[in-house]
């Protein structure tokens, strides 16, 4: 049995896999286009995307907008598939990144790290000002049924717009997590528990608007069997990040990818991020030094995250993640999902998708055999 399609409005992905948008600089046009060419949804991460621009410190908005336009245009040259952009609500350049993505005709905007309550306004304003019908889909990233309901109600009441889909990110995800520290290991907050709740929560909005709102499971999805399991729980597709880091096409330095291959289960740790959220990363000497009270004084030149309080922050997270992306892990760290220790090699995106397809088919065949028995 082949993968089912993932339908988000009039967009049809041949396989039900969204590649997670991973900043800083981990998922850009090369990775996103490779995933899109395999029939999935490739995603460019907007966070500090202008990090290599020479004027990023003096003109952060212009530098990041310029870089995002270039990455989207590069992706379009490399694929005819579906390409989206991940834009954190907490970005100080959020509005500019959203508007740029819409004007460059990104297929989808995925938005989390806060509630994107005004996201449809940017789409409406772009259509009004440009006198064009932009068709970018708007997909919030949430961690609970309550958050999904709040966003849907606000969007409908304010903009008469229903979310085109929801990504539900569980506590096994990499990077910044939408959970309190004590919730991360609580079974009631597990992805398996939350997915059915969100599926149920969106039904009234589907009925009200007469359209389907797909729910996409994210955080800890690792194998084709996992995909099978979450589809059975009501998800229409899955989002995977960690698996796509360990690919040749990933935009990070090879040393960053090798950190994934070398990671053990004991290396996976939860940190307190300067942006005010817990985050999951691969432990290293940099993280240990921060925990022991070391500080790396800095002058904030990027002003990238609205929730970052420089005077209370022991290090610049933007600088740390830029260093990591470049392979300088002694000066930063690698965010990762909970299953990173299972990564044992770097492979192509095509090889990865093919293996997921095979595992999916085997899981379906096993279930079918059990039913017949």
């Amino acid at each position: 049995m082949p993968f089912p399609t993932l339908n988000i409005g009039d967009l049809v992905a041949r396989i039900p896999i969204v590649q997670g948008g991973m900043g800083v600089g981990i998922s850009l046009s090369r990775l996103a286009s490779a995933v899109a060419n395999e029939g999935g949804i490739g995603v460019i991460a907007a966070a500090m995307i202008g990090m290599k621009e020479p004027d990023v410190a003096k003109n952060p908005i212009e530098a990041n907008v310029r870089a995002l336009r270039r990455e989207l245009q590069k992706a379009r040259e490399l694929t005819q598939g579906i390409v989206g952009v991940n834009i954190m609500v907490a970005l100080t350049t959020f509005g500019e990144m959203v508007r740029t993505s819409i004007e460059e005709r990104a297929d989808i905007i995925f938005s989390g790290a806060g509630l994107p309550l005004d996201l449809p306004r940017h789409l409406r304003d772009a259509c009004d000002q440009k006198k064009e019908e932009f068709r970018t889909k708007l997909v919030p990233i949430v961690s609970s049924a309550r958050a999904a309901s709040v966003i849907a109600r606000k969007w409908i009441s304010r903009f008469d717009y229903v979310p085109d889909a929801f990504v539900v990110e569980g506590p096994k995800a990499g990077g910044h997590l939408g959970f309190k520290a004590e919730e991360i290991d609580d079974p009631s907050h597990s992805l398996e528990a939350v997915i059915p709740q969100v599926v149920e929560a969106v039904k009234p909005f589907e009925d009200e608007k007469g359209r389907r709102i797909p729910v996409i499971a994210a955080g800890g999805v690792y194998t084709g069997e996992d995909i099978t399991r979450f589809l059975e729980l009501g998800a229409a597709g899955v989002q995977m990040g960690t698996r796509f880091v360990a690919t040749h096409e990933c935009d990070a330095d090879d040393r960053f990818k090798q950190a994934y291959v070398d990671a053990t289960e004991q290396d996976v740790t939860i940190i307190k991020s300067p942006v005010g959220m817990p985050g999951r990363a691969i432990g290293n000497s940099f993280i240990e030094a921060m925990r022991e009270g070391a500080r790396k004084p800095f002058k904030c030149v990027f002003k990238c995250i609205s929730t970052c309080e420089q005077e209370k922050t022991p290090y610049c997270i933007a600088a740390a993640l830029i260093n990591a992306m470049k392979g300088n892990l002694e000066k930063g760290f690698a965010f990762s999902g909970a299953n990173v220790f299972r990564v044992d090699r770097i492979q192509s995106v095509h090889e990865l998708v093919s293996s997921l397809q095979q595992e999916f088919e085997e899981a379906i065949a096993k279930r079918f055999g059990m039913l017949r028995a």
Side-chain angles (χ1 to χ4, degrees):
M1 178 181 175
F3 275 136
T5 60
L6 171 57
N7 301 344
I8 301 177
D10 57 357
L11 294 176
V12 181
R14 296 197 312 272
I15 63 174
I17 298 174
V18 177
Q19 162 249 310
M22 296 169 287
V24 170
I26 307 303
S27 63
L28 299 174
S29 56
R30 185 171 61 166
L31 178 58
S33 61
V35 175
N37 282 332
E38 291 298 320
I41 298 176
V43 182
I44 294 168
M48 280 301 297
I49 196 169
M51 62 194 161
K52 294 182 180 179
E53 297 297 301
D55 59 342
V56 67
K58 293 182 178 179
N59 303 299
I61 293 177
E62 293 90 338
N64 281 289
V65 165
R66 186 188 316 127
L68 179 57
R69 287 192 190 279
R70 184 172 61 247
E71 289 299 322
L72 279 166
Q73 290 166 6
K74 281 184 181 178
R76 287 297 180 216
E77 292 171 359
L78 295 168
T79 185
Q80 297 296 312
I82 302 173
V83 175
V85 181
N86 180 289
I87 309 175
M88 298 167 58
V89 176
L91 291 180
T92 54
T93 56
F94 177 75
E96 290 84 1
M97 295 288 97
V98 169
R99 182 62 180 264
T100 301
S101 299
I102 293 168
E103 291 179 356
E104 289 296 328
R105 290 174 170 76
D107 292 305
I108 307 172
I109 291 174
F110 298 93
S111 189
L115 299 182
L117 298 179
D118 283 338
L119 192 53
R121 175 174 60 82
H122 296 282
L123 179 60
R124 182 193 62 191
D125 290 351
C127 292
D128 290 344
Q129 292 169 14
K130 294 288 187 177
K131 308 301 180 185
E132 293 184 47
E133 185 183 358
F134 294 103
R135 302 177 66 85
T136 301
K137 303 295 186 283
L138 307 180
V139 180
I141 302 172
V142 300
S143 56
S144 69
R146 180 178 179 277
S149 296
V150 167
I151 292 171
R153 284 198 301 269
K154 294 289 187 181
W155 283 19
I156 291 172
S157 65
R158 292 180 182 178
F159 311 107
D160 191 29
Y161 193 106
V162 65
D164 293 291
F166 280 104
V167 170
V168 181
E169 197 166 82
K172 291 185 178 181
H176 292 116
L177 305 174
F179 299 89
K180 298 177 182 177
E182 62 270 18
E183 295 174 338
I184 293 174
D185 295 319
D186 184 344
S188 66
H189 292 283
S190 70
L191 187 60
E192 289 82 356
V194 176
I195 283 294
Q197 295 171 7
V198 177
V199 170
E200 190 64 28
V202 303
K203 284 181 180 178
F205 304 108
E206 291 179 318
D207 294 340
E208 179 179 345
K209 291 299 180 180
R211 56 183 295 187
R212 191 175 181 217
I213 305 174
V215 173
I216 299 164
V221 183
Y222 194 85
T223 66
E225 197 281 331
D226 291 338
I227 298 173
T228 306
R229 183 159 46 86
F230 285 111
L231 294 185
E232 290 174 344
L233 288 172
V238 300
Q239 177 178 286
M240 306 176 77
T242 294
R243 295 303 306 270
F244 285 107
V245 171
T247 62
H248 300 301
E249 294 90 344
C250 174
D251 294 272
D253 186 273
D254 284 346
R255 289 171 291 178
F256 186 100
K257 303 175 192 180
Q258 191 62 40
Y260 273 48
V261 176
D262 295 340
T264 67
E265 188 169 5
Q266 290 70 39
D267 291 329
V268 184
T269 188
I270 300 296
I271 68 167
K272 183 179 180 181
S273 169
V275 308
M277 299 176 178
R280 180 173 280 106
I282 300 172
N284 66 359
S285 59
F286 181 93
I287 290 175
E288 284 305 311
M290 295 305 104
R291 285 177 172 162
E292 291 170 2
R295 293 182 64 86
K296 294 187 178 295
F298 65 96
K299 179 181 178 182
C300 182
V301 295
F302 300 123
K303 296 179 172 59
C304 55
I305 300 293
S306 59
T307 55
C308 184
E309 300 181 66
Q310 182 186 351
E311 63 279 4
K312 299 179 181 179
T313 299
Y315 63 94
C316 173
I317 190 166
L321 295 179
I322 290 170
N323 285 330
M325 180 276 296
K326 293 179 178 179
N328 301 321
L329 289 162
E330 70 281 359
K331 297 180 180 179
F333 57 88
F335 275 139
S336 74
N339 286 313
V340 64
F341 67 93
R342 299 170 68 179
V343 174
D344 59 6
R345 66 190 178 99
I346 298 171
Q347 59 188 319
S348 70
V349 167
H350 177 73
E351 289 173 317
L352 172 57
V353 171
S354 296
S355 68
L356 292 171
Q357 170 72 69
Q358 182 178 347
E359 291 166 356
F360 176 82
E361 291 177 352
E362 290 172 353
I364 292 294
K366 182 178 179 181
R367 282 162 169 73
F368 181 69
M370 290 173 63
L371 286 173
R372 291 187 63 181

